[in-house]
Amino acid sequence: MSQEILFNIIGGMDTFSIERIVFNIIMATLLGLFIYFVYKKTFSGVIYSQSFNITIVMVCVIIAIIMMLIGKNIALSLGLVGSLSIIRFRTVIKDPRDMGFLFWGIAVGLAAGTGEFLIAIIGSIVIALVLFIFSKLIYIDYCYLLVLRGVEIESKIISDVLREYKIPYKMRMKTTNRDFTEVTYEITLKSVKEDFLVKTFRSIDGIEEVHIVSYDGEVTG
């Protein structure tokens, strides 16, 4: 039994030379950095997470190393399934798009670890092109949340201002109590600048605070 284990260990070392191991890791790192670049350029949320983006690069390299360790060993491949389950259930991912990037990193790591660089490169280029096209076409209109706070805010006045500047809008939330009123609108800004809109609403009596927040088109709550 011990001889069989030793044989498997020696055989594994023969399968991947030092040059091949270094090359696979370098390719996984380069492809991971490519995903890093695409994620950063196509990010459309409110808060960009640098740590999550770096994690994608780490996942590419780690999965590539795991695949080289596994080789053709079926038992070790089950360990990879367990590792992926940990990523799935131990990681809180709010944006489904981030999950796609994480799986992209895993796929690149799998390809780099098994030496299937052509599949990883062509697949990554196709995914990047699709993401850049979607980011240019779908997010061509810049969506914002307009949050107004004040003692007394009349919805009709707000609507008149938005219609005057031809700004598409939709009321998302309104909160009132004895001291203040807060209303939130979803707006789309094309020609009107944010600073101009803030000054316009600040000049209206009853409005004390004006906030404009970029968002990705989804509102919870």
Side-chain angles (χ1 to χ4, degrees):
M1 184 67 180
S2 59
Q3 291 179 350
E4 183 179 355
I5 296 175
L6 180 62
F7 176 78
N8 290 334
I9 293 174
I10 295 175
M13 292 297 292
D14 289 339
T15 303
F16 294 99
S17 63
I18 295 178
E19 293 81 2
R20 181 63 181 275
I21 294 172
V22 173
F23 184 73
N24 286 2
I25 293 176
I26 290 175
M27 286 299 297
T29 305
L30 292 176
L31 290 169
L33 291 174
F34 178 71
I35 299 174
Y36 176 96
F37 172 78
V38 174
Y39 180 83
K40 187 173 184 178
K41 291 298 181 182
T42 60
F43 181 77
S44 59
V46 178
I47 300 176
Y48 167 75
S49 175
Q50 180 81 7
S51 61
F52 175 79
N53 208 357
I54 293 175
T55 301
I56 296 175
V57 181
M58 293 174 58
V59 167
C60 294
V61 178
I62 292 171
I63 294 296
I65 294 173
I66 291 175
M67 287 306 299
M68 287 186 286
L69 288 172
I70 290 175
K72 297 181 180 179
N73 193 314
I74 298 176
L76 288 177
S77 65
L78 298 177
L80 176 63
V81 176
S83 302
L84 297 178
S85 300
I86 291 175
I87 294 175
R88 171 64 183 87
F89 293 107
R90 295 290 182 181
T91 306
V92 179
I93 297 178
K94 297 180 180 178
D95 190 350
R97 190 170 171 273
D98 291 348
M99 180 67 76
F101 273 93
L102 194 56
F103 275 107
W104 184 6
I106 292 173
V108 165
L110 291 171
T114 55
E116 300 292 343
F117 304 116
L118 189 61
I119 297 175
I121 292 172
I122 294 176
S124 296
I125 291 174
V126 171
I127 293 173
L129 287 175
V130 171
L131 289 174
F132 277 117
I133 291 172
F134 272 80
S135 65
K136 293 296 182 183
L137 295 180
I138 293 181
Y139 298 106
I140 192 169
D141 294 335
Y142 297 95
C143 296
Y144 295 89
L145 291 180
L146 173 65
V147 183
L148 305 174
R149 289 170 60 96
V151 178
E152 184 177 356
I153 299 177
E154 296 185 11
S155 300
K156 185 178 183 306
I157 297 177
I158 307 302
S159 301
D160 291 342
V161 173
L162 293 173
R163 288 197 192 98
E164 179 182 357
Y165 296 106
K166 299 179 180 179
I167 299 174
Y169 69 96
K170 183 177 182 180
M171 178 182 284
R172 286 293 189 180
M173 187 181 303
K174 185 173 184 178
T175 306
T176 60
N177 60 27
R178 295 180 179 177
D179 300 325
F180 72 92
T181 299
E182 179 179 297
V183 291
T184 302
Y185 289 89
E186 175 188 338
I187 62 174
T188 302
L189 296 180
K190 294 180 179 179
S191 57
V192 180
K193 299 298 183 183
E194 296 88 343
D195 293 338
F196 175 79
L197 195 63
V198 170
K199 291 180 181 178
T200 301
F201 282 111
R202 284 290 302 274
S203 63
I204 299 176
D205 294 336
I207 297 178
E208 298 178 356
E209 296 182 15
V210 180
H211 303 275
I212 296 181
V213 182
S214 174
Y215 87 119
D216 58 1
E218 296 184 3
V219 175
T220 59

